[in-house]
Amino acid sequence: MADGDLNVMTPAAMPPHRGRWWLDIRWIMAGVVIGMIAFLAWGLFGPEPAVRVSRETTFITEPLAADGLPDYRAALLAMAGPAPPPEDNAAATLLQVFWPLGIDAADLPAVCAALGIPNEPPSDPLRVPHEDAAWKVTVEDYDAGLERPWTGEELPALEAWLVANEGAIDQVVAATKRSRYWLPSPSLLGSTEGLLFGLDMPDLQQLRNAAQTLVCRAQWHIGEGRHAEAWQDILATYRLSNLIAAPECRSQCLVTRLMSVAIQATADGVALELLNRAMLAPDLFANVCRDLDSLGPSGTLAEAMLWERLGVVDAIVYCARRNQGGRAGRVELFQGTFDSQVLSLLRTSLDWNDVLRRVNEEHDTIKQAMRLPTVAAKRAILD
C-alpha cells in the first residue's frame, strides 16, 4: 500500500478484545467457587443464631437470667420447693446425726441456714462401725452383720457398738417418720456458677450408711429373736428409700432414684429374713402387711429423667451463652468428655435451637417409655 493510504486492518489481524473479561467462563467458575467457599465459611464460622426460649428448645421458660435465657440452677432449686420446718424435714436430723453428711465445711453455713438449724456439729457424730476409732469393729464383722441375722455371741464388738449408739440410731428411725427429705445440692444454695452436671450430691453415700446401720441392727434383732424391733428398723429403711425419691419431688436426679432403689433392695433382703422365720407371730405378720401397704408408691424413673433432661439442655445453652475465650473456650470445657469429632464440631457455628429441639424430642420419647408398665413395652419404644 502506497504512503498516505489509510492503514486499514482486516478482522483477522485485529487483536483480541479485552474489555469484557467477566464473560470469560474461567472467571465465572472462579467466582462461583469463591462464593461457595465464602458461603461455607460463613456457615461454619459465622455468627450463631440466638437461642430461642421455648418449651421445644430451652424446655423451661422461667426463671430467666440477666441475658434473657433460663437460669437452670434457680429453676431446679424452685422445683425442690420451699424448705419444710426442721421438725418435718428428715434431712435436718440426719445431718446432725451423721455430721457433716459428706458436705464440705465451706458449704455447711449455707446448708444449715437453708435447713433452719444451727451450724454446730454434735459432740459425737455417728460413723460406720469400722471407721469409728473408739470401737474394734472390722470391715469383715460389719459386712457379716449386714448379710445375715446374727447374735451378740457371734459378733460381740458389733453388738457393743450398736448398744452404745442406740440413741443416735433411734434418731434415724424417728427422722424417717417425717414428711419430707429436703436437702438440695449445696452447689445450688451457693453463688458459684457451673453446669448442672457438676452439682455435688454429698449426702447420698451417707444415706446408704444410714440404711445399712438400720439393716445391721435389724439383723441383730432377728438373730436375737426380737422380731418386732427388727421390723421397726426394716420399716424405717423402707421409709428412708421413699423419702429421698418421693413422687412429688421434681428435683430428684437419676442417681438419687437409683440410690432409693438400692436402699429398698437392702430392706427387701432383711425383710425376707424376718418373714422366713417360722416363729413369726401372726399379729406381727399382720402389722408387716399393713405397714407395707401404707408406704405407698415411690418415685419413678420418669420423674428422675427431668433432672437429666435439664442437665443436657443446660450444657447446650451453656455452650451457646458462655462462649468465654471464643469457641476454643467451649472446646476446652468439654475436653476429655467428648471425642475429637465432637470437639471439632464445637469449633464451628451451630444452630443450637435445632440441637435443643432434637434433644427434647429424644427425652420426650424416653419419658414416654419410662411410664409404660412392662419392660418389653419400654424396650419397644427405646429401640
Side-chain angles (χ1 to χ4, degrees):
M1 181 178 295
D3 292 340
D5 292 341
L6 293 175
N7 188 14
V8 179
M9 297 181 66
T10 64
M14 294 177 65
H17 185 65
R18 301 182 183 276
R20 299 180 179 178
W21 56 269
W22 61 84
L23 296 178
D24 193 317
I25 190 64
R26 292 171 296 178
W27 287 105
I28 294 174
M29 293 301 298
V32 171
V33 172
I34 293 172
M36 292 177 62
I37 294 175
F39 180 79
L40 181 62
W42 180 264
L44 287 175
F45 305 107
E48 297 177 342
V51 173
R52 294 186 294 275
V53 177
S54 69
R55 161 62 175 79
E56 294 73 27
T57 53
T58 57
F59 189 71
I60 64 171
T61 56
E62 60 181 13
L64 300 180
D67 60 1
L69 292 176
D71 186 336
Y72 290 96
R73 296 166 69 89
L76 202 59
L77 188 58
M79 288 177 188
E87 59 272 16
D88 295 333
N89 188 4
T93 295
L94 291 177
L95 172 56
Q96 292 171 326
V97 172
F98 289 95
W99 187 275
L101 205 66
I103 301 169
D104 289 339
D107 294 325
L108 279 171
V111 171
C112 291
L115 295 179
I117 61 175
N119 182 21
E120 299 175 0
S123 58
D124 188 21
L126 193 62
R127 299 282 185 265
V128 292
H130 55 83
E131 294 179 0
D132 195 332
W135 303 90
K136 297 181 180 180
V137 179
T138 65
V139 176
E140 292 74 18
D141 284 348
Y142 188 47
D143 289 343
L146 291 172
E147 292 173 359
R148 57 175 175 81
W150 54 277
T151 65
E153 185 178 349
E154 295 174 298
L155 301 171
L158 186 56
E159 180 185 55
W161 182 86
L162 288 173
V163 171
N165 291 282
E166 180 182 10
I169 301 173
D170 287 344
Q171 288 186 62
V172 176
V173 174
T176 65
K177 297 178 182 179
R178 295 181 176 177
S179 58
R180 294 280 306 280
Y181 180 88
W182 190 92
L183 182 58
S185 168
S187 303
L188 294 176
L189 300 173
S191 59
T192 305
E193 295 185 354
L195 296 172
L196 292 186
F197 279 143
L199 293 183
D200 293 329
M201 291 173 285
D203 56 319
L204 287 186
Q205 181 57 47
Q206 293 301 315
L207 293 176
R208 179 191 286 273
N209 290 339
Q212 289 180 337
T213 300
L214 293 171
V215 167
C216 182
R217 192 169 74 166
Q219 296 280 35
W220 174 51
H221 284 319
I222 295 173
E224 296 285 356
R226 297 184 292 269
H227 296 159
E229 290 85 348
W231 173 242
Q232 291 307 308
D233 286 341
I234 298 169
L235 179 60
T237 309
Y238 278 120
R239 287 196 298 253
L240 179 62
S241 171
N242 277 17
L243 276 174
I244 66 174
E248 64 273 12
C249 181
R250 301 180 63 226
S251 63
Q252 64 176 273
C253 68
L254 186 60
V255 176
T256 302
R257 177 59 188 145
L258 293 176
M259 179 60 73
S260 171
V261 172
I263 292 175
Q264 181 178 329
T266 303
D268 287 342
V270 68
L272 287 174
E273 292 284 0
L274 177 64
L275 294 173
N276 283 335
R277 298 283 132 172
M279 300 300 294
L280 192 64
D283 58 339
L284 178 57
F285 181 78
N287 289 340
V288 169
C289 295
R290 184 184 63 251
D291 291 338
L292 288 175
D293 289 338
S294 69
L295 288 173
S298 60
T300 68
L301 290 178
E303 285 85 16
M305 289 306 298
L306 175 60
W307 179 310
E308 309 306 315
R309 181 200 293 256
L310 292 180
V312 175
V313 172
D314 172 56
I316 296 171
V317 173
Y318 189 97
C319 286
R321 81 198 301 182
R322 305 179 188 275
N323 197 15
Q324 296 127 337
R327 287 173 190 159
R330 67 192 186 198
V331 172
E332 182 179 356
L333 177 67
F334 293 103
Q335 196 77 40
T337 303
F338 297 132
D339 58 27
S340 59
Q341 291 180 334
V342 175
L343 294 178
S344 298
L345 185 66
L346 291 177
R347 292 187 174 91
T348 66
S349 176
L350 296 170
D351 186 349
W352 295 107
N353 294 293
D354 187 47
V355 177
L356 288 167
R357 279 192 296 268
R358 291 170 182 264
V359 164
N360 280 306
E361 288 171 359
E362 293 291 340
H363 277 83
D364 286 340
T365 302
I366 294 172
K367 182 178 180 180
Q368 178 187 3
M370 292 301 178
R371 292 188 181 280
L372 295 176
T374 66
V375 174
K378 290 179 172 66
R379 286 179 177 172
I381 289 185
L382 294 178
D383 287 344

